Amino acid sequence: MTRPEPALSVVVPMFNEESVLPLFARRLRAVLDALDEPYEVLAVDDGSTDGTAPGLAGLRARWPQLRVLRLRRNSGHQAALVAGLLRARGRYVVSIDADLQDPPETIVELLRRARADDLDVVYAIRADRSRDTRFKRWTAAGYYRLVRRLVGKQVPAQAGDFRLLSRAAVEALRELPERSPVLRLVVPWLGFPSGEVAYQREERAAGRTKYPLSRMAGLAAESVTSFSAAPLRVATWLGLAGVVICGVLVVVTVVAWLAGVTVTGWPSLYVAILFLGALQLLCLGLLGEYVARIYTAVQARPAYFVANDTDADADAAVITDGRAELADSLR
Ligand code: UDP
Ligand code: MG
């Protein structure tokens, strides 16, 4: 690298965010310019199809610290984040959403906290979600309860993807063989010294959410199966319960046969068949979830493709996909 590394990189995944882009850029720039330290803003354009790309190009003309990483196609929030994190050059790297739900002013707090206490990870905690919809709060609460049980108490509740990482933490992420880690679980799992800063979750400044229910469910399923084999054990327990219930049914059937009333036994038979059928399908489904994970892991396809990086140095240093990065880090 020819240029000195900036003190701070801010990674912003964006997917069709043309309507908030000007607002966001103005607020973020005010905060970062006031820091009076070298910084870069790494906007990851996650295959936007609206005016986000031209908007970013326009901003770049007047904002030399803005760097744009364009992914070839929409790869999802987590993949876009990883793409940005692994290419950021800063001593500290903050990831933030583009929709102003995460206030850029909190970045100053994150940085101050990391330096004061020499921390590698600082989570921005959503202390107040009163402006989120009730449904979003309710599903989020369920999600955090679940992942804290599965991964452990080191996962802070109400910490999304607004956080600060040190260079060391980013390098540790780079060494992971996983293509698309669920960052909010993997980061605490890395075990770096960490702290928290509270902030108030604001309303989306403009545009629509890119996280419909199906994507939220996807993230939850991914979180569970990437960190725990417990659901596979559910299959075992259900199977055991099934055996016990069937044992009881066998006894009942034999007693009924001895009493000579077997013809009337068809409802129990019917119930047993339905029950066992359901149980087997359920267990097959669970197995399938993990087989699917193995399948994607074996395919080892990169989670994203970089079409363009406005930073020429970085272009020369890293090739075009997630795999190249891994190879680089092992060299
Ligand atoms: N995002 C992205 N790719 C996607 C979906 C979302 O880069 O496929 C970005 C989006 O532009 C935003 C951030 O991820 O900056 C969070 O998305 P959003 O605000 O829609 O999620 P919510 O806050 O509603 O959970
Ligand atoms: Mg949002």
Side-chain angles (χ1 to χ4, degrees):
M1 299 270 161
T2 47
R3 268 180 281 168
E5 71 174 23
L8 177 70
S9 291
V10 179
V11 173
V12 198
M14 294 182 185
F15 177 53
N16 292 346
E17 298 289 11
E18 64 176 353
S19 49
V20 295
L21 189 56
L23 297 170
F24 175 73
R26 198 174 319 132
R27 238 174 99 181
L28 182 67
R29 185 166 188 181
V31 171
L32 295 179
D33 282 347
L35 275 180
D36 206 21
E37 286 183 86
Y39 67 85
E40 67 170 357
V41 173
L42 183 46
V44 185
D45 177 359
D46 188 11
S48 300
T49 49
D50 66 349
T52 303
L56 283 169
L59 282 170
R60 246 175 70 70
R62 282 166 285 126
W63 193 6
Q65 288 95 334
L66 178 63
R67 172 179 163 196
V68 179
L69 190 71
R70 162 104 185 152
L71 303 188
R72 213 179 288 153
R73 57 180 182 79
N74 181 237
S75 312
H77 178 214
Q78 295 290 308
L81 265 177
V82 173
L85 287 177
L86 295 188
R87 274 178 176 73
R89 298 188 299 122
R91 166 82 190 77
Y92 288 102
V93 184
V94 171
S95 47
I96 187 170
D97 284 355
D99 58 2
L100 291 173
Q101 284 196 286
D102 307 332
E105 292 73 24
T106 308
I107 294 175
V108 183
E109 296 284 309
L110 294 175
L111 199 59
R112 190 180 305 142
R113 192 67 212 287
R115 284 178 173 155
D117 301 339
D118 199 15
L119 299 174
D120 283 287
V121 182
V122 184
Y123 304 101
I125 303 289
R126 297 157 183 176
D128 177 357
R129 292 188 76 140
S130 55
R131 301 199 190 167
D132 272 338
T133 61
R134 182 178 303 209
F135 178 71
K136 184 92 186 181
R137 272 181 302 184
W138 185 75
T139 48
Y143 173 79
Y144 287 110
R145 206 172 310 126
L146 180 72
V147 296
R148 275 161 69 89
R149 267 188 89 143
L150 289 176
V151 187
K153 288 280 183 290
Q154 74 268 31
V155 178
Q158 301 301 341
D161 286 303
F162 186 18
R163 72 173 87 73
L164 172 143
L165 298 173
S166 68
R167 178 81 347 235
V170 172
E171 294 309 316
L173 273 181
R174 194 195 300 282
E175 315 257 302
L176 289 181
E178 271 170 282
R179 280 307 157 75
S180 47
V182 180
L183 287 169
R184 60 185 74 176
L185 305 186
V186 164
V187 169
W189 175 84
L190 290 173
F192 281 100
S194 65
E196 299 177 357
V197 164
Y199 75 103
Q200 182 165 7
R201 184 88 164 153
E202 290 171 26
E203 264 166 64
R204 200 174 225 289
R208 280 188 304 121
T209 175
K210 313 294 178 314
Y211 261 93
L213 184 59
S214 58
R215 281 210 177 182
M216 288 202 276
L219 183 67
E222 181 91 7
S223 300
V224 172
T225 53
S226 71
F227 256 92
S228 171
L232 283 174
R233 261 167 252 136
V234 171
T236 317
W237 288 113
L238 282 175
L240 281 176
V243 167
V244 171
I245 293 173
C246 287
V248 173
L249 285 179
V250 166
V251 172
V252 171
T253 312
V254 169
V255 170
W257 178 67
L258 288 175
V261 288
T262 35
V263 188
T264 54
W266 83 266
S268 59
L269 201 66
Y270 191 58
V271 167
I273 290 171
L274 280 184
F275 177 69
L276 284 176
L279 209 65
Q280 281 170 351
L281 283 179
L282 189 78
C283 298
L284 272 180
L286 281 175
L287 277 177
E289 284 293 318
Y290 286 87
V291 173
R293 279 195 75 79
I294 298 171
Y295 174 66
T296 18
V298 168
Q299 278 184 317
R301 287 195 189 137
Y304 56 87
F305 295 99
V306 172
N308 185 42
D309 184 344
T310 56
D311 192 325
D313 285 347
D315 259 350
V318 242
I319 343 291
T320 45
D321 64 57
R323 189 180 334 213
E325 254 139 30
L326 188 66
D328 267 358
S329 70
L330 296 175
R331 213 171 281 151

